[in-house]
Amino acid sequence: MKTIPVKSIKGAYKIVVGKGILARSGSLLSGLFRPGARILVVSQTGISRYARTVAEAITRKGFKVSFHTLPDGERAKSGKELFRLLHVLLAKGFERKDGIVAVGGGVVSDLSGFAASVYLRGIRYVNVATTLLAQVDSSIGGKTGINLPEGKNLMGAFHPPALVISDVGVLDSLPAKELCASLAEVVKYGVIRDARLFRFLERNAGRILEKNAAALERIVTDSACIKAGVVSRDEYETKGERMILNYGHTFGHGIENAAKYRKIVHGEAIGIGMAMAAHLAAEIGICSPEFVRRQLALLKRLGLPVAVDNLKIRSATVLKAMMRDKKKAGGRLRFVLPERIGKVTIKTGISAGELRNILRLFGAR
Ligand SMILES: NC(=O)c1ccc[n+]([C@@H]2O[C@H](COP(=O)([O-])OP(=O)(O)OC[C@H]3O[C@@H](n4cnc5c(N)ncnc54)[C@H](O)[C@@H]3O)[C@@H](O)[C@H]2O)c1
Ligand SMILES: [Zn+2]
C-alpha cells in the first residue's frame, strides 16, 4: 500500500493506493471520525458489492453505517439528487461529527462531496475511488459539484476529502472502454510532468490493458502523485499551475460539446485533444515531429481514438464551443502545449484559422 500526502487550506489528507485495500477501510477511517460516528455510504447499483465491503469494514470499527444509492450517469449530478441526499442526512440525524463515504467514480464523489460541503455548512467525506478516472483524477483536489440544465459542473465548491482510498483490485470489473478512456488522463500526466511514466506506458500498454495489478498500481500511484503535487501548490487554480492539468482539454471539451456528449466519452475526447495540441505545438515549432509520432502511437496502443471522423461534427461547432469555454478562463483561449515529454508550456494567440485547419485535419467537417 502506498500513501500520498495532499496539502489543502481546509486540512491535509492522504491518498492510499493498493490492491485489496477496501477491506482495510475501517482502520483507515478510524482516525478521521469519532468512535460511534454515523457514516452514510453513497454508491450506485452496479458497484453495490464494493459499497458493502467498505460498509462491513467500517461497521467492524464501531461506526453506525447506512446506505444511499444514486442513479447511474450524469443525471445523478443534479439539484434533485443533491436535495434527496441532504434530506436523507437530515432524516438520519447526521451531525457535524458524522460523515459520508462516496464509493464510486467521479459522479458519486462530485455529488457526495458537494452535499458534504453544504450540509450543516460542511461535514467530512471520504472518496473510495472505483473507476480509473476517479483514482487518477476526480477523487483528488477537492473540486465537487453538480450540473445545471445550462451546462456541466456549473454549481459546486472546493471541498477536499478527508481521505482517498484507491483499490486497484476493483478495476477488474471496470468495462474496457472506461479503462481505455481514463488512460488518456494518465498519458496526460506523463506528457505534462513525468517522462518515466510515459515510457512505462509505452513499454507496458499490454499489461495495463490486461489489468495487471502491479502495472495499474504503478500508474495510479504516479498519476495521483502528480495531481496531488499540483493541487497542493495551486489548490484554487489561482497561480496558474493547476492549468497544466488541462492539457488536451481545450480541444477535448470542444469536441465533447460539439458531439453533445454522445458517441464519445470524456477520456476519448481528451486523447484526441492531446493529439491535436501536439500537432499544433509541432506546427508552431515548440515540439518535435518525433514527439507527435510517439504520443500518437501510445494513444493508439492504449485503444484510444485519435480522430473525430465518425462523430460527424463540424469544425465551426467545435470552435464555437471552445470560445464559450474561453469565457470561463478570462476571455483568452489558452493552450497547454507540449515542448517535450514531461514538459509543457502555455500559449495564447492561436488564430481561429489555424485551429480550424487542425480540426479538419483530424476529421471534423
Ligand atoms: N472533481 C473533479 O476534479 C473531476 C475531474 C474529472 C472528472 N470529474 C467528473 O467525473 C465524472 C466522470 O467520472 P467517471 O468517469 O468515474 O464516471 P462515473 O462515475 O459515471 O462511473 C462510470 C460508470 O462505471 C460504474 N463503475 C464505477 N466503478 C466501477 C467498477 N469498479 N466496476 C464496474 N463499474 C464501475 C459506475 O457505477 C458508472 O455507471 C464526470 O461527471 C466528471 O465531470 C470530476
Ligand atoms: Zn479530464
Side-chain angles (χ1 to χ4, degrees):
M1 189 170 88
K2 304 244 169 43
T3 304
I4 301 152
V6 192
K7 283 191 208 145
S8 163
I9 290 166
K10 291 193 179 173
Y13 58 98
K14 285 181 193 147
I15 304 165
V16 289
V17 183
K19 185 170 188 228
I21 59 172
L22 281 196
R24 290 203 231 164
S25 307
S27 39
L28 290 168
L29 249 78
S30 49
L32 301 173
F33 298 95
R34 282 190 224 153
R38 289 185 172 82
I39 302 288
L40 185 67
V41 174
V42 179
S43 194
Q44 289 168 322
T45 344
I47 39 177
S48 54
R49 63 190 143 135
Y50 302 129
R52 274 199 304 277
T53 307
V54 171
E56 277 160 24
I58 56 184
T59 304
R60 279 199 297 275
K61 289 286 169 185
F63 296 115
K64 295 195 196 90
V65 178
S66 46
F67 290 95
H68 181 73
T69 306
L70 297 177
D72 240 31
E74 285 295 317
R75 73 201 156 107
K77 285 173 56 174
S78 64
K80 182 177 156 222
E81 288 301 324
L82 171 69
F83 278 97
R84 195 166 71 89
L85 177 47
L86 295 174
H87 288 303
V88 167
L89 292 167
L90 274 171
K92 292 184 186 295
F94 271 58
E95 298 173 14
R96 279 254 176 85
K97 62 174 176 28
D98 302 322
I100 296 177
V101 174
V103 182
V107 164
V108 176
S109 70
D110 277 11
L111 188 269
S112 306
F114 188 40
S117 80
V118 290
Y119 184 70
L120 304 179
R121 298 201 175 82
I123 61 170
R124 274 182 300 164
Y125 75 109
V126 168
N127 279 333
V128 177
T130 66
T131 64
L132 183 63
L133 183 95
Q135 297 187 351
V136 302
D137 189 359
S138 62
S139 70
I140 309 159
K143 280 189 183 175
T144 71
I146 60 172
N147 305 322
L148 294 180
E150 290 86 347
K152 275 192 67 171
N153 299 324
L154 290 178
M155 179 176 187
F158 281 98
H159 189 57
L163 171 73
V164 178
I165 302 175
S166 289
D167 184 338
V168 296
V170 309
L171 302 179
D172 275 347
S173 58
L174 196 68
K177 189 177 164 81
E178 297 271 347
L179 184 88
C180 292
S182 311
L183 287 170
E185 304 280 0
V186 182
V187 174
K188 175 189 86 177
Y189 291 118
V191 173
I192 63 175
R193 273 290 153 81
D194 191 344
R196 282 182 57 198
L197 172 60
F198 191 95
R199 279 195 296 276
F200 182 83
L201 292 170
E202 287 182 318
R203 289 180 192 148
N204 295 277
R207 282 170 76 214
I208 293 165
L209 293 174
E210 286 163 11
K211 297 183 179 166
N212 173 283
L216 291 174
E217 193 171 333
R218 158 85 190 259
I219 62 171
V220 170
T221 309
D222 287 2
S223 304
C225 269
I226 296 170
K227 176 134 190 199
V230 171
V231 302
S232 291
R233 289 181 294 268
D234 186 16
E235 187 172 13
Y236 292 96
E237 230 164 337
T238 48
K239 298 177 191 154
E241 185 177 351
R242 197 164 173 159
M243 195 198 300
I244 67 169
L245 299 174
N246 282 337
Y247 175 50
H249 282 62
T250 313
F251 283 115
H253 284 154
I255 295 166
E256 279 183 295
N257 198 288
K260 302 199 170 66
Y261 301 94
R262 287 177 217 136
K263 286 203 248 173
I264 186 158
V265 300
H266 175 73
E268 292 173 334
I270 296 323
I272 300 168
M274 292 191 295
M276 289 176 173
H279 183 89
L280 173 60
E283 285 221 317
I284 62 175
I286 62 172
C287 84
S288 67
E290 167 64 8
F291 169 86
V292 180
R293 191 200 58 73
R294 259 179 90 179
Q295 183 187 259
L296 204 63
L298 177 57
L299 292 169
K300 284 184 188 162
R301 280 228 48 210
L302 294 172
L304 286 156
V306 289
V308 297
D309 308 70
N310 63 328
L311 297 178
K312 302 190 170 65
I313 49 176
R314 294 179 52 232
S315 57
T317 321
V318 182
L319 265 177
K320 225 163 133 188
M322 287 168 75
M323 296 301 172
R324 268 201 308 273
D325 233 25
K326 173 186 86 165
K327 287 198 199 113
K328 291 182 221 155
R332 292 215 292 180
L333 207 46
R334 282 173 230 258
F335 287 89
V336 181
L337 298 182
E339 289 184 350
R340 56 174 190 272
I341 298 167
K343 176 126 183 14
V344 287
T345 183
I346 315 280
K347 282 271 180 254
T348 53
I350 312 289
S351 74
E354 211 159 349
L355 298 175
R356 193 173 304 115
N357 286 344
I358 292 176
L359 290 166
R360 293 214 176 123
L361 193 72
F362 281 79
R365 294 176 174 186

